[in-house]
Amino acid sequence: LEIFFSYNQLKHNPPSEFFADEIEPYLEVADRARLVLDRLIHDVRFKVSQPRHHKDWAEFLLKIHDPLYLAILKEVSESARQPGDYYADFDPESLERNSDAQKIFEFCYDTLTPIGYGTWESAYWSALSALNAAELLRKGKRRVVFALTRPPGHHAGQFFFGGYCYLNNAALAAEFLAVSGKVAILDFDFHHGNGTESIFYARRRVLYTSIHCAPILAYPFYTGSADARGTGRGTGYNFNIPLQPNCGEKHYRSALHNALRTIKEFSPRYLVVSAGFDIFADDPDGSFDLTPDFSEELASSIASLDVSSLIVLEGGYNLKLLPQLVYTFLLTMDKKMAGNSHF
Ligand code: SP5
Ligand code: ZN
């Protein structure tokens, strides 16, 4: 199974985030990617590829994100010269050091998502990992590809960022794949993918389905309700399944089957999975009650769709559990897809 990942993705490493009146250590750490990679490369069934950059990719970002947003993100990020140097709107001192940095926060809707040393580079290479993986999938020689996307992406929209996300990796990949046929996105992160939803809300070629913790009770708090079904030509092509904060396997399974049934009816050429492993018990940023074993069932159910799939990483913050959850999920997907008829 091919994995796309660049070491440039490790550079971004803010010290802290601000939530409910407290400054806390940043959860979306570079070690997430390091530990996952470590778990995967010790198995000969995985092969790590470096994403390649070419100028078409840089332009491709503009299909999803506003040019001014991209330019300011790059500029402010690159104005930070050393590791540990981050700007955040909850940290007035950081903005005194560089008053120009303030302008990026007009695009930010929370206090979780600092900008600084390595932010642009890491976000850019994370997006390229997703795009290179999508390219390989579109060539048709693979049925499953994994993009080890860190920083994650599903909270980033055309004009906004937040929730540890800067560039929407899954949306970029879906946009790329949609050139060849209909694309379904299955977002199983604990948090609703407000960025991805907003990007495809008025479009019918890309179906967005999400299973997440009910928005009145969980971040991002303002999107994710079941009534949000899309708009204009996209009406009926957005499907949210909000769940209770302490949801266990029984309820999760029935939500999953609903989402998969909707995807099947849509009959996509490709599936993009926004894989957030913060749905498992003991995640510091989630509260569902799913055992680690459920990672296998989840993958197996998704693979039963028998649609060529790109897996992109979103959340998952328990560093002790994350590597094994990802490993089990990917191996199960790969085995099951190989067992399906075509190959
Ligand atoms: C991609 C993704 O999963 N983003 C999630 C961002 C939401 N984080 C909410 C932050 C909640 C505060 N942190 C809780 C830590 C408890 N010590
Ligand atoms: Zn999440």
Side-chain angles (χ1 to χ4, degrees):
L1 199 153
E2 203 148 333
I3 305 160
F4 283 87
F5 175 74
S6 160
Y7 286 93
N8 295 325
Q9 292 173 232
L10 301 176
K11 258 181 133 178
H12 168 72
N13 227 6
S16 48
E17 58 185 70
F18 184 80
F19 186 77
D21 224 19
E22 308 232 38
I23 292 185
E24 296 190 347
Y26 203 61
L27 274 184
E28 201 286 289
V29 291
D31 274 347
R32 296 176 64 238
R34 255 188 220 108
L35 293 165
V36 169
L37 190 69
D38 227 52
R39 180 69 187 88
L40 302 181
I41 56 178
H42 287 108
D43 187 315
V44 292
R45 287 171 284 191
F46 292 95
K47 169 182 182 249
V48 183
S49 295
Q50 300 284 313
R52 267 196 277 261
H53 156 89
H54 58 77
K55 76 169 192 331
D56 297 354
W57 287 143
E59 275 167 36
F60 198 86
L61 301 186
L62 297 164
K63 289 197 179 286
I64 298 295
H65 297 289
D66 174 60
L68 190 64
Y69 165 58
L70 292 179
I72 297 177
L73 180 64
K74 183 165 192 287
E75 184 195 316
V76 172
S77 166
E78 289 178 349
S79 73
R81 286 293 149 81
Q82 54 217 343
D85 197 1
Y86 287 89
Y87 306 109
D89 47 4
F90 60 83
D91 175 8
E93 260 173 56
S94 74
L95 299 174
E96 274 164 38
R97 285 201 313 274
N98 174 2
S99 57
D100 259 10
Q102 179 65 53
K103 61 191 179 197
I104 189 58
F105 293 104
E106 304 197 1
F107 297 93
C108 187
Y109 65 89
D110 67 15
T111 54
L112 298 166
T113 317
I115 306 271
Y117 183 78
T119 303
W120 170 259
E121 232 182 303
S122 292
Y124 181 74
W125 285 98
S126 187
L128 281 205
S129 286
L131 284 168
N132 277 255
E135 185 178 48
L136 183 66
L137 197 72
R138 212 174 72 177
K139 284 190 180 135
K141 295 198 174 123
R142 301 282 191 292
R143 299 227 67 210
V144 189
V145 186
F146 177 54
L148 210 186
T149 43
R150 179 281 158 184
H154 75 153
H155 297 303
Q158 185 178 2
F159 300 97
F160 63 84
F161 73 101
Y164 319 142
C165 300
Y166 305 89
L167 302 177
N168 196 317
N169 311 307
L172 286 159
E175 181 78 27
F176 180 80
L177 292 168
V179 171
S180 306
K182 289 192 287 181
V183 178
I185 298 172
L186 174 63
D187 185 335
F188 68 71
D189 190 278
F190 180 81
H191 309 95
H192 180 244
N194 55 325
T196 314
E197 175 182 271
S198 74
I199 288 163
F200 297 114
Y201 206 60
R203 292 173 53 184
R204 59 169 66 194
R205 197 170 173 82
V206 178
L207 168 75
Y208 179 71
T209 58
S210 177
I211 306 168
H212 48 266
C213 187
I216 32 160
L217 303 158
Y219 184 93
F221 303 109
Y222 75 104
T223 58
S225 104
D227 322 328
R229 298 302 318 271
T231 190
R233 287 173 55 74
T235 304
Y237 296 86
N238 194 81
F239 188 43
N240 287 328
I241 308 179
L243 297 173
Q244 290 306 301
N246 59 351
C247 176
E249 265 145 51
K250 194 172 129 235
H251 287 112
Y252 197 92
R253 190 175 291 127
S254 99
L256 181 64
H257 289 151
N258 273 337
L260 295 176
R261 192 186 340 106
T262 304
I263 291 170
K264 217 183 177 106
E265 282 163 11
F266 179 69
S267 72
R269 172 100 181 251
Y270 297 105
L271 177 69
V272 174
V273 181
S274 265
F277 293 87
D278 41 12
I279 55 172
F280 292 92
D282 299 321
D283 191 282
D285 211 8
S287 61
F288 287 168
D289 193 18
L290 306 177
T291 63
D293 287 345
F294 190 73
S295 188
E296 184 175 339
E297 183 184 333
L298 180 60
S300 176
S301 304
I302 296 170
S304 71
L305 284 172
D306 196 17
V307 175
S308 293
S309 300
L310 170 59
I311 318 299
V312 302
L313 183 65
E314 301 288 356
Y317 306 100
N318 183 327
L319 298 179
K320 292 211 173 75
L321 295 179
L322 181 66
Q324 186 62 26
L325 292 170
V326 174
Y327 177 80
T328 305
F329 182 86
L330 292 175
L331 270 192
T332 308
M333 277 296 293
D334 197 40
K335 243 194 283 175
K336 192 109 195 249
M337 292 294 278
N340 292 339
S341 50
H342 322 254
F343 287 84

